[in-house]
Amino acid sequence: MTPTTRRVTIRRESRHRRDLVRQAGRPGGWVLPVAGTIALATLGTVGLAGVIAVSTLGVMSAGLPDPSELDTLGFAQATVVYDRAGKVELGRFEDQRRRVLAFDSIPKTVLDATTAAEDRTFWDNAGIDVPALISAAAENASGTGERGASTITQQLVRARLLPDDVIEAGADRYVRKVKEIIQSLRLSDEFPGEAGKQRVVTAYLNEIFYGHGAYGIAAAAEIYFGVSDLSSLTVAQAALLAGLPKAPTTLDPYRFAVPDAKGRLVVPAGSAPIVRRDWVLEGIAATGRWTTLETDELRAATEEPIVLVGERPVRIPGGHFTWQVRRQLEAILGPDADLERGGYRVTTTLDWRAQRLAEKWLTATAIAPNVSRRAAERLLNRTRIPKGERAWIRALRGKDLHNGALIALDYRTGDVLAYVGSAGYARDDLGSRRFEPKYDAAGDGARQPGSAWKPILYAAAFDAKRLTPGSVLLDITTQFDRRQDWTPRDADQRERGPVLVRRALQYSLNIPAIRALQRVGNERVADTAEKMGIRFTGGRTAFLQSGLAGALGTVEVRPLDLTAAYGTIANGGVHVPPRMILDVRTADGRIVWQAPEPAGSQAISPAAAYLVTDILQGNTDPAQNDIWAEKLSLAGPNGKKRRPTAVKTGTTNDARDLGTYGFLPPTKDGLGLVVGVWLGNSDHSYPRSRKPATSLTAAAPLWRAFMRDYTRKWPITAFKRPKDVVHTKIDAWSGGRPGAWTRETTAEWFIRGTQPGSRKAIDKDGLLYRIGCGGWRVDPLQAESGPAAWRADVEDWLRRARRGPGVVGRLDSATAYFWGERSWGGPLIGSCYRQREEGGGNGGNNKNKKKDKPPKPTAPPPPTPAPTG
């Protein structure tokens, strides 16, 4: 066919234009004839090809999606994560930046700008612009251009309401055009009138691509102008946005923008985006349905500088927590859920107030000491750290601690209330081997818990009925493994002889803990730990292979797991797994998943849990442990009465990992708070400091500061005692029932049936004593239950201890009285001479101690039944 023939054909078809436009306003029975005629005009063909096109229009309309699907049309939307109140956005998962709007949320200025740019007859046409189509056909037929003439309706149809095989790469573009026209007419027929037009333009504005990662007008306004409320857009800004979909990459304003004298990012006059904006503004002035632009208003709009907001880093206020939520989402919704496009709305467990407090105190503890002094003071001022708290923070300067983590849980429900996986998720400017901001040390990292592991050990021992809080253990340096020359010591390299379990745990003595593990066994402790939610690095085998060293927290665990394990102790031995999601909804608010009622499992008995709780509670009571209480005690809302708190610190070898873990009794409304803190370096390096920080000087004040601020207004409650524990008077040095050997007594809690005097009593009466030199004498060998090889070191301690405190042995540790004491429970067994019983060795206060006078000897106590369970 020659060009002349084509022009003649077009002239013949043009006489139908008026009829087509008139028919387009009538519903039903017209779509195919109109589409057929327009298709021929658009394609610019006659003869056999034209006849085939007309005869097959019915076939071509087959397989097209039902246009009524517009009502259920979904848009690829980000999954948005919120705090527990549903107000604070913690992050979003997306590969298309989009925020879906309703028609009522779209300003009239934006509507007028859009129709001026893309379809000036939109409100009147039947989904297609017949004159524009025919003009385009004329240009295409003449070879002078390839004009598309697509209306807003056609663009929406092409994007969402055509089969994939029609729009995929390599598909016949003429077939696609015919189907597009047919479907546009069908869509207009399905949704007629003003209401139908509103639906179509709303879907279009939510769907179309505006460049620079922006899908939909709402995302475009945010990305280019930082505007979330579209009503604040100027008409010039609305016109620029409306002009972008024609060529979003070519017209991307960021390609042209340059900084001005004020540092603003301005798109220059005369650049392609500005030229198109001005053309759109002229269209608004000429065809605006709601917007009127007088001559001076049009001039002002074309002269308005286009200032872009600039590239903004992706904000994830929830930091590591948000990424942990994603993992749980994948487990909840399954692998087929499209989190980037599904548009889910996720309500999490996070308490935004708790989160901000956690970030505040971690920043002060791990960031401030590692920047310049001036920058540190500015940081402390900006984060509103009280003047009274700054001394311990400043003392951390030079201690080479660069990172930290904090987790707060409600142990009754497992809800994660605060979760900070590093000292500063957004502080990439400070990133180094020692501080990796994006690595989650709370839930992904594994750290040695050190002495913070001991409550787990003793909980297992109590539950297995191998020990009680009144059992006697020896704090005597021992070569526990002679083949490997493994001889651990207490932190201060003192040996305090016989101590009861309560004191051994409260004062975090290493050597008694090792003897405790030997008594209960690694298997039982591993079983208990796993029930409490602990996942060992290297699995259960790693703990079993650690041998007695496992008592000292040498096997790495996750701070999140250890915090939850402490919560298990607080919760009467019931372990409730941590959870981060309360519900998941679709974009339209329909709930697709809701967290079930928390279901816990009994990991240890309520009685065993209470015994550990009561011991740890003593760490915040100055009457029981004035050393720890100074750093860990909390005041109630009036600032006077002490708040019951159970807490334990942990400092690993060479201060590489510092931790503090503790909990409060449940509040009256049932919230149970447990908080875990870790400090150290990301690369596990040892602090390069002559005098490294300890948990008491770093992690403990951090833990206390967060707990104090978060619970400041909470009423004081007490730990509830279960029925199956009893309070019994015992010998203060050897445990068991008091007898003729007794010099002091104390009262202790026991699991019912295991207390001294019961049929299944665990602690033998007078275990530490035997008769010698005309009276009862302390013989630590009586209390040694370990292998025979250990006895030599006990005997060595006994020889040295007869000379008093401060005598150093071959294993480089010195004899010492327990804090505040002046003996080891009486005269030591051995040579019958008057032994020194004077204070010293550790600075204890001995002013009120009476001189130790041995009672008259009586018959040795009868043996008690062997421990069971």
Side-chain angles (χ1 to χ4, degrees), residues 268-324:
S271 62
I274 298 300
V275 171
R276 180 152 175 82
R277 177 204 67 173
D278 294 346
W279 178 80
V280 174
L281 285 170
E282 292 172 359
I284 295 173
T287 64
R289 195 179 192 200
W290 295 282
T291 309
T292 58
L293 289 178
E294 302 297 337
T295 302
D296 55 341
E297 293 173 320
L298 177 61
R299 183 184 306 109
T302 57
E303 293 175 355
E304 178 182 315
I306 291 297
V307 180
L308 303 179
V309 69
E311 298 284 0
R312 290 181 169 182
V314 177
R315 290 188 66 253
I316 305 182
H320 301 97
F321 176 81
T322 301
W323 296 109
Q324 291 289 349

Side-chain angles (χ1 to χ4, degrees), residues 147-206:
R147 182 175 172 184
S150 294
T151 62
I152 286 174
T153 307
Q154 286 175 264
Q155 293 180 56
L156 176 62
V157 163
R158 188 186 312 143
R160 298 303 301 275
L161 291 173
L162 288 179
D164 291 340
D165 62 335
V166 173
I167 59 175
E168 66 185 6
D172 191 310
R173 69 186 186 94
Y174 295 109
V175 171
R176 189 215 72 201
K177 194 68 178 181
V178 171
K179 288 181 177 287
E180 177 187 305
I181 292 171
I182 294 172
Q183 189 73 324
S184 297
L185 293 169
R186 293 175 72 208
L187 182 62
S188 296
D189 193 34
E190 180 70 24
F191 297 99
E194 183 79 6
K197 288 294 185 181
Q198 291 178 4
R199 290 181 179 180
V200 170
V201 74
T202 301
Y204 171 84
L205 287 169
N206 284 321

Side-chain angles (χ1 to χ4, degrees), residues 298-374:
L298 177 61
R299 183 184 306 109
T302 57
E303 293 175 355
E304 178 182 315
I306 291 297
V307 180
L308 303 179
V309 69
E311 298 284 0
R312 290 181 169 182
V314 177
R315 290 188 66 253
I316 305 182
H320 301 97
F321 176 81
T322 301
W323 296 109
Q324 291 289 349
V325 165
R326 182 187 176 98
R327 292 183 187 176
Q328 291 197 10
L329 266 180
E330 291 170 344
I332 289 169
L333 300 178
D336 295 332
D338 189 346
L339 298 184
E340 280 74 20
R341 301 185 175 206
Y344 297 106
R345 300 296 180 261
V346 184
T347 304
T348 69
T349 60
L350 197 79
D351 181 334
W352 186 237
R353 175 173 167 265
Q355 183 73 4
R356 285 183 296 173
L357 284 173
E359 292 174 352
K360 164 185 173 177
W361 285 108
L362 264 174
T363 296
T365 306
I367 299 294
N370 293 301
V371 297
S372 70
R373 295 181 187 275
R374 181 175 296 180

Side-chain angles (χ1 to χ4, degrees), residues 84 408-417 563-564 566-579 596-601 663-674 717-721:
R84 67 185 300 114
L409 303 174
D410 179 351
Y411 55 76
R412 290 295 186 93
T413 62
D415 288 356
V416 177
L417 304 174
T563 304
Y566 270 70
T568 300
I569 297 171
N571 199 30
V574 176
H575 174 65
V576 181
R579 67 177 185 180
E597 286 297 314
S601 57
F663 49 87
L664 302 182
T667 62
K668 293 180 179 179
D669 58 0
L671 188 154
L673 180 64
V674 58
T717 55
F719 291 108
K720 186 177 180 180
R721 187 172 63 250

Side-chain angles (χ1 to χ4, degrees), residues 416-551:
V416 177
L417 304 174
Y419 187 99
V420 186
S422 75
Y425 180 83
R427 294 305 304 264
D428 292 326
D429 58 312
L430 298 177
S432 68
R433 289 176 58 189
R434 282 175 162 74
F435 175 46
E436 297 179 13
K438 294 298 188 288
Y439 184 71
D440 184 355
D444 294 339
R447 298 292 185 266
Q448 290 185 355
S451 292
W453 178 254
K454 291 170 184 172
I456 312 301
L457 163 62
Y458 284 108
F462 296 160
D463 201 47
K465 298 180 181 177
R466 300 296 187 191
L467 290 172
T468 74
S471 298
V472 64
L473 294 171
L474 297 183
D475 183 29
I476 294 174
T477 302
T478 304
Q479 196 171 25
F480 291 108
D481 189 332
R482 295 184 182 278
R483 289 176 301 176
Q484 298 185 18
D485 191 24
W486 185 60
T487 310
R489 300 166 183 83
D490 288 332
D492 59 2
Q493 292 192 273
R494 304 283 181 89
E495 303 166 277
R496 293 176 175 82
V499 295
L500 298 187
V501 163
R502 174 178 289 272
R503 283 180 155 187
L505 176 53
Q506 282 182 344
Y507 285 81
S508 198
L509 300 178
N510 290 335
I511 301 170
I514 295 170
R515 285 181 157 86
L517 179 56
Q518 186 272 334
R519 190 87 61 92
V520 68
N522 286 64
E523 287 275 358
R524 183 61 186 252
V525 175
D527 289 343
T528 301
E530 288 178 336
K531 290 177 183 177
M532 297 173 79
I534 296 291
R535 295 168 291 173
F536 298 107
T537 299
R540 173 191 178 86
T541 302
F543 185 78
L544 298 181
Q545 291 178 345
S546 71
L548 294 182

